Amino acid sequence: MKLAIFASGNGSNFAAIAEAVKEGTINAELVLLFCDKRQAYVIQRSQELGISTICFEPKDFVNKAAYEQELLQILKVNQVDLVVLAGYMRLIGPTLLKVYSNRILNIHPALLPDFPGLHGIRDAFEAGVIETGVTVHFVDDGVDTGPIVAQESVFIDEKDTLEMLEERIHQVEHQVYPKVIQETIEKLSKTNEWKWSVEG
Ligand code: GAR
């Protein structure tokens, strides 16, 4: 099975997934990283690992459909079976979704449906909840919606700073996401639906 990772930022989840692929705990080929931000650190991480690295931005295109059409073409040429969002801070539009429905995973740093959006960790911290966590889900056309595959709790201590909580959430993400990706690959491999099947 062939994986592509989409990321927009630091890339710590990308690194954890790439490491799991290298170790064989994720049984798949990581064929490319796509990044939509030219300055993102994840690009450097990916190049250092020798992974095929592609970067362009929506503003390079006339509209979002054209941007996603280019992405779709890249996924198709590389015969990507499963897309893994790892801090990709953009909504997936209909151009990609209609081809990759149920084949795009996302990780979110909160217990969805609570605290969706760009600042899941900070929003939970500022809300004063005692429990937050990490959610892995399939992507649909909403903001951090779509069928939930796995969740893990992270408790917030009253002595925690936001930075301490961020650190703990990221540690949990780096454990949970590779494990869930492998479980998803195993499930998809048992069906006939995952195989690359787009014509043309
Ligand atoms: C992660 O915490 C991920 O859950 C979050 O972005 C961070 C990326 O960190 N994603 C979202 O908030 C999606 N709504 P990383 O670049 O170090 O992997």
Side-chain angles (χ1 to χ4, degrees):
M1 185 167 290
K2 296 187 179 189
L3 301 186
I5 299 180
F6 289 9
S8 306
N10 175 34
S12 69
N13 280 282
F14 162 81
I17 297 162
E19 177 67 20
V21 169
K22 195 173 153 202
E23 285 175 350
T25 49
I26 292 178
N27 184 16
E29 189 185 341
L30 177 51
V31 291
L32 66 95
L33 167 80
F34 170 70
C35 181
D36 64 335
K37 295 255 171 65
R38 289 200 173 86
Q39 306 306 323
Y41 180 53
V42 68
I43 293 174
Q44 192 179 322
R45 291 188 195 257
S46 178
Q47 288 172 338
E48 282 171 8
L49 291 170
I51 293 165
S52 174
T53 305
I54 296 167
C55 178
F56 51 80
E57 302 190 2
K59 64 174 165 36
D60 305 334
F61 295 82
V62 285
N63 55 33
K64 183 162 176 169
Y67 163 76
E68 288 204 341
Q69 195 56 49
E70 177 70 17
L71 263 174
L72 190 56
Q73 188 59 25
I74 289 166
L75 297 178
K76 190 170 157 182
V77 165
N78 288 279
Q79 302 195 328
V80 170
D81 300 298
L82 183 66
V83 176
V84 172
L85 308 186
Y88 179 69
M89 295 308 205
R90 205 170 284 286
L91 272 182
I92 300 289
T95 307
L96 278 173
L97 268 181
K98 75 171 186 286
V99 179
Y100 276 91
S101 63
N102 298 319
R103 287 193 287 167
I104 308 177
L105 277 179
N106 182 44
I107 190 159
H108 183 75
L111 293 177
L112 292 171
D114 292 342
F115 310 113
L118 294 177
H119 304 290
I121 305 176
R122 188 187 72 193
D123 292 346
F125 185 80
E126 288 178 354
V129 294
I130 56 166
E131 183 187 9
T132 183
V134 167
T135 302
V136 180
H137 64 98
F138 281 107
V139 170
D140 66 9
D141 57 2
V143 180
D144 298 317
T145 55
I148 290 174
V149 184
Q151 290 190 302
E152 189 146 328
S153 291
V154 173
F155 289 92
I156 305 178
D157 191 89
E158 56 187 26
K159 296 195 196 83
D160 275 337
T161 62
L162 176 58
E163 291 69 30
M164 288 158 74
L165 179 62
E166 283 170 344
E167 173 70 23
R168 281 214 310 290
I169 293 258
H170 290 312
Q171 279 172 7
V172 171
E173 288 186 321
H174 302 162
Q175 299 300 313
V176 166
Y177 211 11
K179 187 166 156 275
V180 174
I181 291 167
Q182 175 58 21
E183 287 166 1
T184 303
I185 288 170
E186 285 168 16
K187 276 189 204 131
L188 291 176
S189 298
K190 287 187 187 132
T191 75
N192 286 323
E193 287 161 28
W194 65 271
K195 277 206 181 289
W196 176 251
S197 60
V198 175
E199 296 295 319

